[in-house]
Amino acid sequence: SQQGEEDPQALSIQEGENATMNCSYKTSINNLQWYRQNSGRGLVHLILIRSNEREKHSGRLRVTLDTSKKSSSLLITASRAADTASYFCATDAGTSYDKVIFGPGTSLSVIP
Amino acid sequence: GAVVSQHPSRVICKSGTSVKIECRSLDFQATTMFWYRQFPKQSLMLMATSNEGSKATYEQGVEKDKFLINHASLTLSTLTVTSAHPEDSSFYICSAASEVSYNEQFFGPGTRLTVL
């Protein structure tokens, strides 16, 4: 079964608003990653946050990690139409350092 | 970041034929490569983990005789879908990781397979 679960499954916002996506997982992890995928395209790596980190920033992206709740959030501030994409969290499997398991993803639509 | 390529980007084939998809790491040596499958509007499902010079490790429910994986060098892994059927139509994505990249995987652009 998949390790991560995202919510919401779909999110529609106006340009300029902030978008928050959440991810929950089931087992202990070494790190959690967020990826973006434009329709029918490959994946773009956004951020990797390690289990001993609580927050990380990259440009307009802010990722938090709460290992006690086994959850993470991705915040995109001042969204743009170009941010329209699917966003996935991915966690290592816990027992194998290399294997990465993806959550079901959140489909974000930013309306101009 | 590191570059991973896939070839072909799109392939259409007849039912019963075999299709080979290549995954190459262009500027680094990938000790491990991963193959994922993604159906429309769904997430990526890991199919197998491929280590150079050894047999691939397949995820539960993935038929190793149907999805043949060869990782003959540190820069190339191939996935062959044997006797493809329409239900095998999907988006196949590979990723590559190296000891240097730690746990970050670099993804290829994907291959769209359509089986008629």
Side-chain angles (χ1 to χ4, degrees), chain A residues 2 30-31 33 35 37 39-45 48 50 88 92 96-105, chain B residues 10 32 34 36 38 41-46 49 51 59 91 93 97 102-110 112:
Chain A
Q2 288 182 323
N30 297 303
N31 60 63
Q33 304 180 67
Y35 291 86
Q37 184 182 36
S39 180
R41 307 291 290 272
L43 290 174
V44 175
H45 182 261
L48 180 151
R50 303 199 188 282
F88 297 93
D92 64 341
S96 170
Y97 221 106
D98 293 334
K99 195 159 74 171
V100 166
I101 306 297
F102 284 82
Chain B
R10 289 178 182 273
T32 306
F34 304 87
Y36 296 85
Q38 185 180 33
K41 298 191 185 303
Q42 294 189 24
S43 186
L44 283 76
M45 297 299 294
L46 180 65
T49 302
N51 291 295
E59 295 300 300
F91 194 51
I93 303 176
Y102 205 42
N103 204 36
E104 181 177 354
Q105 294 183 24
F106 301 99
F107 284 82
R112 175 79 56 195

